[in-house]
Amino acid sequence: MSRPQAPVPEPTPLVVVAAGTTAGSAVREAGLPGKGPDAVVVVRDAEGRLRDLSWAPAEDTEVEPVAADTEDGRSVIRHSAAHVLAQAVQQLFPEAKLGIGPPVKDGFYYDFDVERPFTPEDLRALEKRMKQIIKGSQRFSRRVVDSVEAAREELASEPYKLELVDLKSEVDTSEVMEVGGGELTVYDNLDPRTGDRVWGDLCRGPHVPTTRHIPAFTLTRVAAAYWRGNERNPQLQRIYGTAWESTEALDRHLELLAEAERRDHRRLGAELDLFSFPDEVGSGLPVFHPKGGLVRRELEDYSRRRHEEGGYEFVYSPHITKGALFETSGHLGWYRDGMFPAMHLDEERDENGVVRRQGQDYYLKPMNCPFHNLIYRSRGRSYRELPLRLFEFGSVYRYEKSGVVHGLTRVRGMTQDDAHIYCTPDQLQDEIRSLLTFVLDLLRDYGLDDFYLELSTRNEEKYVGSDEDWERATDALRAAAEASGLELVLDPGGAAFYAPKISVQARDALGRTWQMSTIQVDMQLPDRFDLEYTAPDGSRQRPVMVHRALFGSIERFFGVLTEHYGGAFPAWLAPVQVVGIPIASDHVEHLLGVAKELRSRGVRVEVDTSDDRMQKKIRNHTTQKVPFMVLAGANDVENGAVSFRFRDGGQLNGVPVATAVAAIADWIGRRENSSPTAETFEPAGAAG
RNA sequence: GCCGACGUAGCUCAACUGGCAGAGCACUCGCCUUGUAAGCGAGUGGUUAGGGGUUCGAGUCCCCUCGUCGGCUCCA
């Protein structure tokens, strides 16, 4: 499965719209398509604003036609589909009040206030009604409302729209789809024959010319959402859908969703016997089975090796600590809600229930850094020791809200590959730069190679520390990010309370992005822990601290890799690397010999000696995604050879045992990330 | 935390309006001895997530708890 490729549109020639005529007629006269996947649905004016085809400028104007199969074109189709959905809802549920209905990535939604939440049956009925509306070829007609008062009057029965109008009259914001652009507009849906207004909605547009220009859509799910995203506001019912320029494009999208479902790590975790979430343990607390354990151990071992080579020192810290430590670090002040509640221990009371001895609050640790700081300050430090890099596979526990726990990617107990680097302010720049290189190289070794960076800066409502410190830290990160040459996206206000961060976002095999590594410069904790080192001149200086997790958490990284590879792990990570499959029981002996040799080379190999037929064994181990199936029948036994079958069904027959063993060990040793095939797997003899 | 849907064998799913809990796969035991994705037969397996209620009778209806899923909010 390759990444979804947006069709590359031909560079669109500009079209001149004559004064007083519509953009649509200019587009038609230019001979541009009016239907089909590349139909022009809107135009872009000189200021970059999208305009309806019915737009008629007062002067001759050059515009760029926007086709349905572009991202902008799809957004317009989706926005129009949202309107059709809203019309359908109000026809079937006249009491429904409208929220907002914007296009979003890959689709659209519309929020409604209804007495009774929508059911799946409602969705089917709504789809049906939407199809009727689309067939009816209603015209989207733009109308400017003269004044806020006029708008209020018109929208009297739509309380949420009224709120938007009032919002608009206070601050002109283009954030909200419904309003913006300097004036209040309504889009009316007109009957094509009579011209009667069938329905209308406060909206800044633009829209496709008629409902017929929504070639393919489907409603996907229904969910609740807070009005204007605030949990203090009432909850509305949100209907999600997707719409595309053609049925083919819609089908491709649905196929991608189906593929994502097949690759879902929660499903693969059960199918491949990797891990599970026993109810008895608790929500968000996974256990790893032997096969998942093997993959995880390989992940960790390789990381450990690379960290050793990279100058990291390994430390260990307990899972639980007295509360004072997190008072010092500030976590109890800022993030108590995200922590498991305290265990109150060691309190003693006398027979009257009066406290005789004060107890202590112990907490499960949500982060490792305070412990590493204690290690740092366990003795005096010299500038000669810096940068000091402390690394730990540290298990942390966070009390995630019940609604966010999700497979391995959002858990309550996880192991971070956590490192804290202590350096002098002078070293910071170089350290971050080399750290970023280290992180990206390592991610590439695991098969992720499509990245962009995100720089999260201070949240003005939630931070500690001085402006200068924040600026210095942010600059250091920005410089390193820019030096990497990767795409850099800004995330204003996204930082943790104590430090700005760079996060590495990786795109997987399906083109989805995942936040992986984070690098944070911290100028707060060294203060709070009073960390020092002795400088060359004998003075005591404060080190700068860098937090970084590479996998984020092992669990999450495991989940991402599982989905990236669809369970077909690279041979070096695969829990079972080779399965020997005898054609008949007579050939078991031969394969046991081969297996013994492989095992002596460190290969994880099994021989399937069950009563199943050979074909069945191939099926079983194919579904288990074993990279190498090594078959042997009478011919192979006679020739001292084996025959390969690969995941993709390809085969390579009569390979001498010694050659086969060496080639397998070599493939694994190289940490080749692709699946071996008859073409890519060349036993030494063939490769010369 | 909020809204909604869901929870039947290890897995995937049946069981019409309340009326004897079933199938395929997996697993166990036989037979079969096989050349690149399911050989044949038999058997084991369930307090229908847990608890309470309505009813002559509850997998099915009602209430509570736990969990899962989809969103919202949150995410050190």
Side-chain angles (χ1 to χ4, degrees), chain A residues 340-413:
Chain A
F340 276 89
M343 287 167 262
H344 193 65
L345 302 180
D346 298 336
E347 183 174 278
E348 283 177 26
R349 288 167 185 269
D350 63 19
E351 55 278 9
N352 300 320
V354 176
V355 175
R356 193 161 56 195
R357 178 177 145 189
Q358 283 276 278
Q360 286 275 358
D361 282 342
Y362 279 78
Y363 290 89
L364 283 171
K365 65 171 169 179
M367 293 190 87
N368 299 302
C369 34
F371 297 86
H372 294 188
N373 288 345
L374 295 181
I375 293 168
Y376 180 94
R377 78 172 189 197
S378 64
R379 63 171 171 79
R381 298 286 176 182
S382 157
Y383 74 96
R384 295 171 192 275
E385 295 181 73
L386 307 184
L388 180 71
R389 306 183 182 93
L390 302 183
F391 179 95
E392 175 176 13
F393 282 116
S395 297
V396 298
Y397 299 87
R398 297 176 182 183
Y399 190 70
E400 299 283 5
K401 291 180 178 183
S402 60
V404 306
V405 170
H406 181 92
L408 288 178
T409 57
R410 205 63 196 275
V411 292
R412 284 178 165 169

Side-chain angles (χ1 to χ4, degrees), chain A residues 12 27 102 119 121 124 231 244 270 294 324 331 342 353 378 393 412 473 508 521 526 532 565 581 658:
Chain A
T12 333
V27 165
T119 64
E121 291 72 40
R124 280 196 288 280
E231 63 186 320
W244 294 79
L294 262 167
H331 288 106
S378 64
F393 282 116
R412 284 178 165 169
D508 73 3
V521 180
E532 291 183 331
Y565 288 116
I581 299 178

Side-chain angles (χ1 to χ4, degrees), chain A residues 536-571:
Chain A
D537 64 0
S539 66
R540 295 295 173 91
Q541 302 289 334
R542 185 129 294 168
V544 177
M545 182 177 174
V546 180
H547 305 244
R548 55 109 278 198
L550 197 149
F551 296 145
S553 79
I554 310 274
E555 288 79 2
R556 183 183 154 81
F557 190 67
F558 191 117
V560 171
L561 274 195
T562 303
E563 301 205 0
H564 177 62
Y565 288 116
F569 290 107

Side-chain angles (χ1 to χ4, degrees), chain A residues 38-316:
Chain A
D38 54 352
V40 172
V41 287
V42 289
V43 297
R44 192 193 320 275
D45 68 15
E47 282 87 54
R49 295 234 311 257
L50 295 178
R51 299 284 195 170
D52 295 322
L53 289 186
S54 60
W55 176 59
E59 298 167 9
D60 287 8
T61 310
E62 231 179 22
V63 298
E64 180 198 332
V66 175
D69 59 359
T70 62
E71 270 317 297
D72 280 337
R74 289 189 194 104
S75 282
V76 172
I77 290 173
R78 287 163 187 163
H79 186 189
S80 298
H83 274 231
V84 172
L85 166 62
Q87 183 183 155
V89 165
Q90 291 201 315
Q91 285 176 359
L92 296 185
F93 306 90
E95 79 291 352
K97 300 300 175 202
L98 301 175
I100 61 170
V104 290
K105 180 176 166 21
D106 290 340
F108 63 89
Y109 67 80
Y110 213 114
D111 289 344
F112 304 96
D113 188 355
V114 281
E115 282 295 307
R116 172 182 68 80
F118 296 110
T119 64
E121 291 72 40
D122 293 337
L123 285 198
R124 280 196 288 280
L126 287 168
E127 276 191 354
K128 205 171 151 194
R129 177 56 63 101
M130 287 174 71
K131 282 183 180 144
Q132 290 168 358
I133 293 170
I134 287 171
K135 245 181 155 171
S137 203
Q138 293 173 7
R139 206 143 51 76
F140 281 93
S141 175
R142 184 170 188 271
R143 169 162 57 89
V144 177
V145 181
D146 301 332
S147 64
V148 171
E149 288 66 38
R152 264 200 208 110
E153 205 169 306
E154 175 157 356
L155 295 165
S157 61
E158 292 289 353
Y160 300 96
K161 295 292 184 189
L162 272 181
E163 198 177 320
L164 293 179
V165 169
D166 289 340
L167 195 72
K168 154 89 177 174
S169 58
E170 285 162 29
V171 272
D172 190 344
T173 169
S174 51
E175 300 286 306
V176 185
M177 206 70 204
E178 276 56 29
V179 295
E183 50 193 6
L184 277 175
T185 53
V186 166
Y187 273 77
D188 294 317
N189 281 75
L190 305 181
D191 183 294
R193 275 174 298 276
T194 63
D196 290 345
R197 179 175 186 276
V198 185
W199 190 78
D201 190 8
L202 176 72
C203 180
R204 72 169 179 208
H207 281 283
V208 295
T210 76
T211 55
R212 277 273 195 194
H213 290 79
I214 302 168
F217 80 95
T218 185
L219 297 183
T220 47
R221 55 177 161 265
V222 57
Y226 299 108
W227 167 239
R228 295 181 57 210
N230 190 322
E231 63 186 320
R232 287 187 298 273
N233 287 341
Q235 277 199 331
L236 306 181
Q237 290 296 310
R238 174 171 297 179
I239 296 178
Y240 281 94
T242 184
W244 294 79
E245 70 275 11
S246 66
T247 323
E248 292 71 30
L250 174 64
D251 288 347
R252 274 198 300 278
H253 175 70
L254 295 178
E255 175 51 35
L256 193 71
L257 293 185
E259 176 64 19
E261 198 176 317
R262 283 191 288 276
R263 285 172 179 242
D264 190 312
H265 72 276
R266 293 165 299 181
R267 166 198 286 253
L268 289 170
E271 282 175 5
L272 304 179
D273 197 12
L274 301 173
F275 56 83
S276 59
F277 294 87
D279 288 355
E280 294 83 345
V281 181
S283 190
L285 297 167
V287 294
F288 283 78
H289 303 190
K291 285 183 177 166
L294 262 167
V295 177
R296 177 170 174 165
R297 210 197 66 215
E298 284 291 342
L299 282 176
E300 293 179 355
D301 282 352
Y302 181 65
S303 166
R304 233 179 234 121
R305 217 179 82 206
R306 289 294 305 270
H307 277 85
E308 266 161 10
E309 293 165 5
Y312 288 79
E313 300 177 79
F314 289 67
V315 299
Y316 295 88

Side-chain angles (χ1 to χ4, degrees), chain A residues 455-469:
Chain A
L455 179 64
S456 300
T457 51
R458 189 164 74 181
N459 178 345
E460 298 300 337
E461 284 168 21
K462 195 165 144 185
Y463 74 96
V464 294
S466 72
D467 290 355
E468 301 82 68
D469 282 353

Side-chain angles (χ1 to χ4, degrees), chain A residues 644-655:
Chain A
F644 283 87
R645 182 187 164 101
F646 301 100
R647 282 168 173 155
D648 67 348
Q651 40 180 304
L652 208 56
N653 297 326
V655 181

